[in-house]
Amino acid sequence: MTFLTLLRHNGDRGIVITTPTSLLRIPRSELSESSYFLLAPEAANDWVIGLPSTDLTTTSRQLLSAVWELNRIAMPAHERRLLIEPLRDVIESTLQQLSLCFSPSESGASATERESYELADNLNKQLTTAYTMIALQMIDERALAHNISPAKVICKSLHKAVSLMGRRFLHTMRLAKPIGVGAWLELNQLYLLAEQQQLADVKVTDELDGPCSIRTRFVQISLLGCCRPHQLKSEDIAHVYRYLYRYRHAFHLIKESSNDGLFTIDLSRDSAPMYTQGVDHTSDNRHSRFILVEPLVTRLRASETEAEASSDLAQTEPHQHLTPEVTRHLLSCFSKAHRRGDKRIRGSNSMDVVVGLEGIYQQLLAKAGGATTQQSSGHPHDANGAGLTQEPMTESRPSIRDQVHPIHQVNIINISSGGYCLEWQDVMPRDVKNGDIVSLRERGASDWTLATIRWVSQLDNANTLIGVSLLSAAAVHATARAADDKGPNPKAVPVTFLPGIALTGEPEGLIAPRLGFKEGQTLSLQCSNGSRELVLNRLVNATSTYCHFTLSPVDLASASITPLSTSSAHKPFNALWHDL
């Protein structure tokens, strides 16, 4: 070998290969033939045609084993490329099908879902390795190449390897799993190799992930790791990844150290990008790159204005338009360095947890001694609107206070001023996920505190950890109805009222079911101590189960809130469905 230098053997894990500036791991050449087909493109194509099209698991396992073997057979780069090409389309199709078999961001995945994820992850890794080997070998065999462009083969192979890693990172983040050891280093080194070969800025056609350069794809993946994905819902992570591609011209990767570069990437380390503000620049920074995001921040602020003006776009075209809460989240990540300003204190107590809106309503009713009007026990965010109607209580339809909602016992790992890190020792319910609202009570305490799940961490052979952010320790159960619904039987829904905090300037808030509420809407709020008319001022957060609004009095809101259109201002709750 003339250009590649063998450093060391590492058992079955492979060998480490270096170029003058990059370090990558590839398997050892320990096989001489494939057990599936002859080492000829025609034989590989015939074998692919014969794969069972109706048995996804069997097809996935055979493809995984076939590529694993090819990666361990010594052959020239152009022969390896000709053997991989017949497999590429069916592998990418299989990866897409496997991604539909596991449920992103849901805890307690079944054995079948875990198997599908592991198959997809391993198949992605093997195909990434194959393209990495093609690029490395072609660099070494450049002088021996005939009738082909070595630079073109190297560029396409590196672009495919980086794009495959982007998809792998995306699925891993959506499942709230940690990025594997060595994955960030592999991504960083693939980009470094492209940069060294002066191919980082060559635009490559990619029908699946979209045409772009290796530099653009690399920064797209890196920024996804910078946006605190553990605080986003699974579907929002996918929307952000597509949004970053759509506005790929709004961020830049530069070599020179600059105050404008919010993030720093050390291409020699196995780590995600870090805020430049906290990086020591006195050491050797030959491998440091800086991400300039100011144009992207400008675009996000424009998107925030567009989303607030036309909130329906974020629902009908999520691949192009982010929801206001996701846009605000990205602005928080990309506008300035975000660091923890509070200390973590190790916890030694246990915590009672109640999950879901109805469970929280029950706890608040118990706290108030049941001093509220009886409400419908229909699910408050039922898609058919059942939760927006009031029905008489019957023995077959119990009230909220009569329903049984389990109280889960968890351990407190650490405590901060803004929330808790909790350890879920028992099997976590499948419907508990990132973004859910919960009610907390430390063991021995009497009062419940309202919180929301900010992240979920599920490691193999370890208990599930969840991070919760506190919302209010003085929440009050209430009912809300449209202020203009003056009929004899006004329709109301159960909500949670969050009193304001004068000391910190925190405004009053409302936790309500996901459907039937929107900014600018005037509500009549009924609590145990009376009723008030308030306006839903600003949507702070929204998940699949609830939405969180700030509130303002009607007279103060009229100056800052655009009134509802004439077509919907006179409608009660049951007519708002036409305007959602």
Side-chain angles (χ1 to χ4, degrees):
M1 303 175 72
T2 58
F3 187 73
L4 302 179
T5 305
L6 174 64
L7 288 185
R8 68 179 182 271
H9 287 274
N10 191 26
D12 292 336
R13 296 182 61 186
I15 59 177
V16 176
I17 297 295
T18 64
T19 69
T21 58
S22 88
L23 177 67
L24 290 165
R25 185 182 300 277
I26 64 173
R28 293 189 299 174
S29 299
E30 53 191 7
L31 300 178
S32 59
E33 61 182 12
S34 171
S35 60
Y36 292 94
F37 46 79
L38 297 176
L39 299 181
E42 298 79 9
N45 188 65
D46 292 340
W47 178 77
V48 166
I49 295 175
L51 287 172
S53 58
T54 58
D55 191 340
L56 182 61
T57 300
T58 300
T59 297
S60 303
R61 291 188 179 279
Q62 291 187 15
L63 287 169
L64 175 60
S65 181
V67 181
W68 185 91
E69 289 184 357
L70 288 177
N71 290 341
R72 284 155 179 81
I73 299 175
M75 65 181 76
H78 72 279
E79 293 183 12
R80 188 180 303 279
R81 180 177 64 89
L82 293 176
L83 286 173
I84 287 296
E85 283 305 306
L87 307 180
R88 178 177 57 86
D89 289 341
V90 67
I91 289 176
E92 292 185 338
S93 175
T94 301
L95 287 173
Q96 286 185 304
Q97 294 180 60
L98 286 171
S99 68
L100 302 176
C101 297
F102 47 82
S103 303
S105 288
E106 288 191 4
S107 56
S110 66
T112 301
E113 290 173 331
R114 288 195 298 270
E115 181 184 24
S116 297
Y117 170 74
E118 291 171 1
L119 276 174
D121 191 60
N122 289 326
L123 187 54
N124 184 300
K125 289 177 181 178
Q126 291 302 321
L127 189 58
T128 302
T129 299
Y131 280 106
T132 301
M133 293 178 69
I134 292 172
L136 288 170
Q137 287 184 279
M138 185 58 70
I139 292 173
D140 191 44
E141 301 167 3
R142 189 192 303 264
L144 304 177
H146 300 289
N147 301 323
I148 59 173
S149 170
K152 187 175 182 180
V153 172
I154 296 168
C155 187
K156 285 188 173 182
S157 299
L158 289 175
H159 188 278
K160 180 59 68 175
V162 171
S163 295
L164 283 167
M165 292 205 71
R167 269 178 265 158
R168 194 168 100 218
F169 278 37
L170 176 61
H171 289 312
T172 302
M173 292 175 184
R174 293 189 66 191
L175 285 166
K177 290 180 175 290
I179 301 297
V181 176
W184 278 108
L185 177 61
E186 182 180 3
L187 176 66
N188 293 341
Q189 292 293 291
L190 285 170
Y191 170 73
L192 186 61
L193 183 60
E195 192 178 80
Q196 169 201 335
Q197 297 297 312
Q198 301 181 359
L199 299 172
D201 294 314
V202 178
K203 186 175 180 180
V204 179
T205 301
D206 189 334
E207 296 180 356
L208 190 59
D209 296 299
C212 66
S213 67
I214 297 174
R215 185 191 301 270
T216 297
R217 183 75 73 220
F218 172 70
V219 183
Q220 179 190 4
I221 301 167
S222 299
L223 285 178
L224 186 67
C226 296
C227 68
R228 302 197 292 273
H230 62 281
Q231 296 180 1
L232 292 171
K233 294 183 292 182
S234 171
E235 59 270 23
D236 288 335
I237 296 175
H239 296 162
V240 168
Y241 191 63
R242 289 191 290 265
Y243 184 89
L244 290 173
Y245 173 76
R246 185 186 182 203
Y247 293 105
R248 57 193 178 277
H249 302 298
F251 48 76
H252 308 283
L253 188 70
I254 56 178
K255 283 187 177 182
E256 297 78 13
S257 177
S258 171
N259 293 330
D260 294 331
L262 184 65
F263 299 102
T264 298
I265 305 175
D266 188 340
L267 300 178
S268 64
R269 295 183 56 187
D270 182 27
S271 64
M274 299 177 291
Y275 284 111
T276 303
Q277 181 179 336
V279 177
D280 181 14
H281 296 289
T282 60
S283 59
D284 183 10
N285 62 353
R286 290 176 301 169
H287 295 152
S288 295
R289 303 294 183 270
F290 304 89
I291 304 180
L292 182 69
V293 295
E294 274 70 12
L296 180 61
V297 171
T298 301
R299 178 61 253 179
L300 283 167
R301 286 177 177 148
S303 297
E304 184 179 27
T305 303
E306 294 169 2
E308 290 176 349
S310 304
S311 59
D312 57 321
L313 290 178
Q315 304 296 330
T316 58
E317 301 179 35
H319 62 290
Q320 295 184 3
H321 301 275
L322 300 176
T323 59
E325 57 270 18
V326 174
T327 303
R328 286 191 289 267
H329 175 85
L330 293 183
L331 283 171
S332 172
C333 298
F334 296 154
S335 295
K336 61 181 180 179
H338 182 276
R339 299 187 179 279
R340 289 179 173 176
D342 50 359
K343 296 181 179 179
R344 261 53 178 173
I345 302 174
R346 185 178 297 276
S348 59
N349 202 358
S350 59
M351 179 83 75
D352 294 332
V353 179
V354 175
V355 181
L357 285 177
E358 290 189 353
I360 292 170
Y361 295 155
Q362 186 183 52
Q363 299 302 328
L364 294 178
L365 280 169
K367 177 181 177 180
T372 64
T373 59
Q374 288 187 332
Q375 302 298 323
S376 166
S377 63
H379 201 282
H381 50 271
D382 193 352
N384 62 13
L388 301 181
T389 61
Q390 183 178 14
E391 300 178 6
M393 297 299 124
T394 64
E395 293 185 359
S396 61
R397 196 174 182 83
S399 65
I400 291 176
R401 66 170 59 85
D402 296 328
Q403 298 179 35
V404 178
H405 297 277
I407 298 178
H408 305 280
Q409 296 181 358
V410 300
N411 292 331
I412 301 175
I413 300 300
N414 60 55
I415 308 170
S416 71
S417 60
Y420 297 87
C421 174
L422 305 176
E423 180 186 37
W424 208 293
Q425 290 185 313
D426 298 330
V427 178
M428 195 171 178
R430 286 181 55 81
D431 57 347
V432 177
K433 57 186 179 296
N434 183 17
D436 280 351
I437 192 168
V438 296
S439 190
L440 310 174
R441 181 181 64 184
E442 285 198 44
R443 185 59 55 85
S446 57
D447 293 335
W448 292 83
T449 300
L450 211 61
T452 180
I453 298 177
R454 297 291 287 169
W455 54 266
V456 179
S457 175
Q458 296 175 281
L459 301 177
D460 295 336
N461 303 318
N463 293 328
T464 299
L465 299 179
I466 63 173
V468 296
S469 177
L470 301 181
L471 293 176
S472 175
V476 178
H477 177 71
T479 60
R481 62 175 177 82
D484 55 356
D485 189 1
K486 306 296 185 181
N489 297 309
K491 301 176 176 64
V493 294
V495 296
T496 300
F497 174 69
L498 309 178
I501 304 176
L503 183 63
T504 62
E506 185 73 19
E508 295 176 329
L510 188 76
I511 301 292
R514 181 67 180 90
L515 300 179
F517 297 87
K518 58 183 178 181
E519 292 178 347
Q521 189 175 352
T522 303
L523 300 178
S524 177
L525 197 67
Q526 177 72 41
C527 300
S528 58
N529 58 353
S531 63
R532 298 169 59 192
E533 284 199 359
L534 298 166
V535 173
L536 298 179
N537 193 355
R538 183 173 68 88
L539 178 64
V540 178
N541 186 33
T543 71
S544 59
T545 57
Y546 79 93
C547 49
H548 177 196
F549 293 93
T550 59
L551 296 174
S552 60
V554 175
D555 54 345
L556 294 180
S558 59
S560 58
I561 297 293
T562 302
L564 295 175
S565 63
T566 307
S567 60
S568 61
H570 67 281
K571 298 177 181 178
F573 271 120
N574 60 347
L576 287 173
W577 296 96
H578 302 292
D579 299 309
L580 290 177

